[in-house]
C-alpha cells in the first residue's frame, strides 16, 4: 500500500511540475543599465559576511528557499511583525532558526546609496543565495532578475509549505510539487544540506527513536543532544565538510548518516535512492542539477511589472 501511495504522489508531482512553468520575464541583465554596480555590491557583501562567519552562507541560501516556498520569491520572509501585521519570521520553520536578516539589511543599505530604490529585496535574496554557494565551492548559475517585493506575508503558508525536518518522503514530494518542482529537482535541492547546521530539536527524534540511522553516528550525536534540553545545540548537516559545498551530503545518506529524518528519507529503500547514488558518485552531475533546480526554484511566482513594490527597507513595506 505504501508503494502505491508514493506512486500516486509521484504522478501528482509530475503533473504539477508540467503545469507550473518558470516566469520568462526575469532577466540576468535586468540591472545592467538601471544599476551596473548592483551585482558586485551584493557579491562583495556576501563574501565579507561569510568571511566573518562561514555559517552565514548556508543561512542566506536557506532564506531564499524559505522565501520562495511561501507565495513565491517575493521577499515576504524578510518582513518584521508589527502591531497590525504578523509576518513569516515567527512561523515554526523560521522562528529562532532563520538567519541572515542583518546581512540582507546591510546589502540593501549599501544599494540604496548606490542606486536608490532600484534593486528589490527579493532579487537580493536570489543573488545572495547564488553568491554564497559559489564562494563556498559550489556551482554558479545565471540568476534571472527583475522581481519586486510583496507588501504582505503569509505565516500560515509558511507553516504549511516549508517542509519540516520530520517530513516523510511523501510529505516532501507534496511540498515540492506544490511549487512545481520535480522529484529530481527536490533531491538535487536537498543537497543544499551539504553546508550549514541544524538544532538538536530538529534531529532529536531521528537519533533516539528511528532505525534508519547508523548506530555509531546516532550515539555520537547524543553526546550533545540529550533526550531533553539543549534544544538549540548545533550539529553540522555534513560533518566532514560543513563549510564546503560538495556532494558528501549524499555519500552520508548512503551510510545512513543523514542528520535529519527528512534527509535520510531520500535514501531509505525508496525510488529516490538512485538519484542519491548518482549524486554521491558524481559531484559534477550534482552541481549541474543543483544549479538547474535553483534557477527553477528562484522563478516561482515572482512579482514583476507593477505588482508589489521595491522596498526601501527589507523589513517593512514602504510608506504611502
Amino acid at each position: 500500500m505504501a508503494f502505491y501511495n508514493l506512486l500516486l504522489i509521484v504522478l501528482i508531482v509530475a503533473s504539477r511540475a508540467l503545469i507550473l512553468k518558470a516566469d520568462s520575464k526575469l532577466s540576468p541583465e535586468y540591472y545592467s543599465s538601471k544599476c551596473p554596480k548592483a551585482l558586485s555590491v551584493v557579491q562583495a557583501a556576501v563574501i565579507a559576511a561569510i568571511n566573518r562567519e562561514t555559517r552565514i552562507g548556508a543561512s542566506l541560501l536557506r532564506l531564499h528557499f524559505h522565501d520562495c516556498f511561501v507565495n513565491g520569491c517575493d521577499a515576504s520572509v524578510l518582513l518584521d511583525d508589527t502591531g497590525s501585521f504578523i509576518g513569516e519570521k515567527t512561523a515554526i520553520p523560521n522562528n529562532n532558526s532563520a538567519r541572515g536578516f542583518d546581512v540582507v539589511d546591510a546589502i540593501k543599505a549599501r544599494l540604496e546609496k548606490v542606486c536608490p530604490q532600484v534593486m528589490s529585496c527579493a532579487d537580493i535574496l536570489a543573488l545572495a543565495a547564488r553568491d554564497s554557494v559559489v564562494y563556498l565551492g559550489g556551482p554558479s548559475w545565471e540568476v534571472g532578475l527583475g522581481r519586486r517585493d510583496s507588501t504582505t506575508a503569509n505565516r500560515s503558508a509558511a507553516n504549511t509549505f516549508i517542509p519540516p525536518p520530520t517530513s516523510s518522503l511523501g510529505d516532501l514530494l507534496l511540498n515540492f510539487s506544490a511549487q512545481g518542482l520535480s522529484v529530481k529537482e527536490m533531491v538535487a535541492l536537498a543537497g543544499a544540506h551539504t553546508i550549514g547546521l541544524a538544532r538538536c530539536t530538529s534531529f532529536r527524534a531521528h537519533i533516539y527513536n528511528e532505525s534508519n540511522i547508523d548506530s555509531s553516528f546516532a550515539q555520537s550525536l547524543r553526546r550533545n543532544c540529550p533526550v531533553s534540553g539543549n534544544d538549540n545545540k548545533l550539529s553540522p548537516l555534513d560533518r566532514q565538510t560543513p563549510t564546503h559545498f560538495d556532494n558528501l551530503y549524499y555519500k552520508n545518506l548512503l551510510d545512513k548518516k543523514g542528520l535529519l529524518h527528512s534527509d535520510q528519507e531520500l535514501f531509505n529503500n525508496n525510488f529516490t535512492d538512485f538519484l542519491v547514488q548518482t549524486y554521491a558518485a558524481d559531484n559534477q552531475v550534482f552541481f549541474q542539477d543543483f544549479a538547474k533546480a535553483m534557477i527553477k526554484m528562484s522563478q516561482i511566482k515572482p512579482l514583476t511589472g507593477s505588482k508589489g513594490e521595491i522596498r526601501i527597507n527589507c523589513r517593512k513595506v514602504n510608506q504611502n
Side-chain angles (χ1 to χ4, degrees):
M1 181 63 70
F3 171 79
Y4 289 107
N5 287 339
L6 282 174
L7 180 60
L8 178 60
I9 291 171
V10 171
L11 293 173
I12 294 172
V13 170
S15 64
R16 288 181 177 175
L18 289 172
I19 293 171
L20 295 176
K21 296 182 179 180
D23 189 280
S24 60
K25 296 178 182 178
L26 303 180
S27 168
E29 306 301 323
Y30 186 79
Y31 295 104
S32 294
S33 59
K34 294 173 179 288
C35 185
K37 295 181 179 179
L39 273 65
S40 60
V41 167
V42 176
Q43 182 187 51
V46 168
I47 291 173
I50 294 175
N51 284 338
R52 288 192 299 270
E53 182 196 9
T54 311
R55 181 190 174 198
I56 204 67
S59 299
L60 291 170
L61 176 58
R62 186 167 180 256
L63 266 186
H64 183 42
F65 169 73
H66 282 212
D67 179 41
C68 291
F69 264 54
V70 182
N71 295 345
C73 308
D74 60 2
S76 59
V77 71
L78 302 178
L79 290 171
D80 284 342
D81 292 354
T82 67
S84 58
F85 174 84
I86 298 178
E88 297 163 19
K89 289 183 178 179
T90 53
I92 294 171
N94 297 325
N95 196 31
N96 298 319
S97 176
R99 306 172 69 250
F101 300 109
D102 56 335
V103 176
V104 176
D105 290 341
I107 295 172
K108 183 60 174 173
R110 175 60 180 158
L111 286 168
E112 285 302 302
K113 292 180 179 179
V114 175
C115 305
Q117 214 166 345
V118 171
M119 179 175 278
S120 67
C121 301
D123 277 349
I124 291 173
L125 288 178
L127 287 168
R130 191 272 310 275
D131 293 343
S132 293
V133 170
V134 172
Y135 192 63
L136 293 174
S140 184
W141 59 90
E142 279 197 335
V143 178
L145 301 166
R147 298 169 192 78
R148 288 168 64 84
D149 301 321
S150 68
T151 56
T152 61
N154 194 328
R155 187 174 185 270
S156 175
N159 284 326
T160 301
F161 293 112
I162 298 174
T166 55
S167 296
S168 66
L169 180 59
D171 293 334
L172 292 170
L173 290 167
L174 288 174
N175 277 119
F176 278 75
S177 72
Q179 311 304 327
L181 296 167
S182 69
V183 176
K184 182 178 180 180
E185 289 160 346
M186 177 190 75
V187 178
L189 288 170
H193 283 182
T194 187
I195 54 175
L197 307 170
R199 295 184 298 158
C200 168
T201 186
S202 297
F203 59 84
R204 177 181 284 122
H206 184 48
I207 65 175
Y208 283 101
N209 305 332
E210 299 175 8
S211 59
N212 62 333
I213 184 171
D214 178 81
S215 58
S216 61
F217 177 62
Q219 187 61 42
S220 68
L221 290 165
R222 291 171 187 167
R223 298 189 190 109
N224 291 320
C225 184
V227 176
S228 62
N230 275 10
D231 283 0
N232 292 322
K233 191 73 174 181
L234 299 170
S235 286
L237 290 157
D238 166 11
R239 302 185 89 181
Q240 295 101 316
T241 57
T243 60
H244 184 70
F245 200 97
D246 54 33
N247 67 337
L248 285 183
Y249 164 80
Y250 298 103
K251 295 181 179 181
N252 289 336
L253 298 186
L254 299 184
D255 295 330
K256 291 193 174 183
K257 294 182 179 179
L259 182 64
L260 307 178
H261 171 84
S262 56
D263 288 331
Q264 198 59 56
E265 279 286 275
L266 301 179
F267 190 79
N268 190 29
N269 296 316
N270 287 311
F271 59 88
T272 52
D273 287 5
F274 81 97
L275 285 168
V276 173
Q277 292 167 329
T278 298
Y279 295 148
D282 196 324
N283 191 65
Q284 189 58 36
V285 172
F286 162 51
F287 275 17
Q288 290 172 355
D289 286 354
F290 180 83
K292 291 176 183 176
M294 284 298 296
I295 292 172
K296 176 84 168 286
M297 187 193 77
S298 72
Q299 294 177 336
I300 296 174
K301 295 184 291 186
L303 299 175
T304 57
S306 61
K307 297 177 181 177
E309 64 181 17
I310 304 297
R311 286 187 221 140
I312 299 171
N313 181 334
C314 290
R315 292 177 180 264
K316 60 184 181 180
V317 299
N318 298 335
Q319 298 296 317
N320 295 325

